[in-house]
Amino acid sequence: MFAELRNISVYYNKSMAIKDVTINVPEAGVVSIIGANGAGKSTILKSLLGMVPIREGEIVFDGESIGDLETAERVKKGIVLVPEGRQLFPYLPVITNLKLGATVRRDRAGIAESMEYVLQLFPRLKERLKQNAGTLSGGEQQMLAIGRGLMANPRLLCLDEPSVGLAPIVVEQVGEVIQDINGRGISVLLVEQNAHLALGVCQTGYVLEVGRVVMEGDRETIRCSEIVRKAYLGG
Ligand code: ATP
C-alpha cells in the first residue's frame, strides 16, 4: 500500500483522540474518512504529518516507516496537508500565499510547472494574484489553500474538511478539483463531515466515530450502509 496508518493511537494528555486506527491509501487513489465533529479526523491527518505524537502504531509511506521523521521531511517526501480553516496569510497577496507552498522545494522548473497547473485549475486565482488572500470569498480561499498545497508537489494530498462554510455549488467545485488532482496521479486523503462530497469523489471510505474506525469499504458499501444513510446522508 502507498500510504498506511497502522493501528495508530493518539492521546492529548490522558484523553484518547484516536484509538487503533488503520487507514490505507493506494497509489493514485482517493480515500475519504467521514466523521462528525470531534471524531478525530484532524488528528488522523496530523499524525500522518507528524504534527502530533503517536502513542501506538506505525506510519508507512511508499514502503518506508516514517513515524520518526519531522513534519518538513514528510512534506519533502510528498505528504502535504491542506489544513482545516485554510490557514492562509490574509494580509499577503494570493501569489505570495501560493509561493509559500513551494518553500520546501528547490526545483525551479518544477515549481513553475506547478504554478502553471494551479493557475489553470483555478482561473479565478489567476485573475486575483495581487489581491490579499483575506479579501477573497470563502470558496476562493479554499481554492487558494488547495493551490498552495499543490505548490508543494504532493504525492499524497491530505484535505481537512474543505467543504466547511461553503455553498453547495462551491462544494461541488471542490469535488471536481479533487478529481482533477487525482487525474494527475496524486493520491488524496479527504476527511469530511460532508458525506456527499466525501462519497462523491472516493473509491474507498472509512467512517470514524469517537476516535475509532467503525466501518470501511468501497464507496457503494459505505453509501448504502445504515449508519451513513441515517447519520450523514439525511435518511
Ligand atoms: P472537527 O471536525 O471538530 O475538527 P475532528 O474529527 O477533526 O473534529 P479532532 O480535531 O481530531 O476531531 O479531535 C479529536 C478529539 O481530540 C476531540 O475530542 C478534541 O476535543 C480533542 N483534541 C483535539 N486537539 C486537541 C488538543 N490540542 N488538546 C486536547 N484535546 C484535543
Side-chain angles (χ1 to χ4, degrees):
M1 201 49 78
F2 184 52
E4 294 174 56
L5 289 97
R6 292 184 185 156
N7 310 104
I8 297 291
S9 299
V10 173
Y11 287 73
Y12 295 110
N13 296 317
K14 285 191 179 146
S15 81
M16 183 269 283
I18 53 172
K19 180 73 182 167
D20 204 18
V21 166
T22 293
I23 308 275
N24 291 313
V25 185
E27 186 143 30
V30 181
V31 171
S32 292
I33 304 172
I34 301 168
N37 254 331
K41 303 181 300 299
S42 300
T43 301
I44 291 179
L45 296 185
K46 286 179 183 167
S47 69
L48 178 58
L49 268 291
M51 297 160 73
V52 292
I54 58 174
R55 183 171 297 183
E56 292 158 347
E58 192 183 7
I59 297 176
V60 177
F61 182 65
D62 203 14
E64 186 191 346
S65 180
I66 58 159
D68 291 330
L69 296 185
E70 297 289 330
T71 300
E73 293 302 315
R74 299 187 201 200
V75 177
K76 278 187 199 154
K77 286 188 181 293
I79 308 174
V80 174
L81 174 66
V82 179
E84 189 175 16
R86 298 150 200 162
Q87 311 287 348
L88 299 167
F89 295 95
Y91 298 109
L92 293 178
V94 167
I95 182 77
T96 311
N97 273 275
L98 287 175
K99 283 181 179 167
L100 283 166
T103 44
V104 294
R105 300 174 68 181
R106 292 290 168 266
D107 56 325
R108 281 175 156 240
I111 294 172
E113 235 172 75
S114 297
M115 184 65 86
E116 199 174 310
Y117 171 51
V118 168
L119 299 183
Q120 172 228 311
L121 191 58
F122 303 119
R124 290 181 70 87
L125 294 183
K126 191 173 182 180
E127 292 161 15
R128 291 167 171 71
L129 284 177
K130 291 186 181 153
Q131 201 169 312
N132 282 354
T135 65
L136 299 176
S137 72
E140 289 162 357
Q141 291 194 24
Q142 186 58 57
M143 301 308 178
L144 177 54
I146 295 173
R148 182 181 58 184
L150 289 170
M151 289 302 297
N153 197 26
R155 297 171 68 205
L156 170 61
L157 188 67
C158 304
L159 300 165
D160 195 345
E161 297 210 45
S163 78
V164 166
L166 303 183
I169 178 97
V170 187
V171 174
E172 225 171 88
Q173 288 166 6
V174 171
E176 287 162 14
V177 161
I178 291 171
Q179 274 161 342
D180 196 297
I181 292 168
N182 183 237
R184 293 173 68 97
I186 299 169
S187 306
V188 176
L189 179 57
L190 169 67
V191 311
E192 262 300 340
Q193 288 188 50
N194 182 327
H196 290 285
L197 171 62
L199 294 172
V201 294
C202 74
Q203 292 104 33
T204 310
Y206 292 79
V207 181
L208 193 70
E209 280 183 1
V210 209
R212 292 173 195 265
V213 172
V214 293
M215 169 173 255
E216 64 179 277
D218 60 57
R219 125 165 123 163
E220 282 318 307
T221 308
I222 301 281
R223 199 200 295 276
C224 298
S225 75
E226 187 90 355
I227 344 185
V228 170
R229 279 194 299 119
K230 285 212 169 116
Y232 300 96
L233 294 172

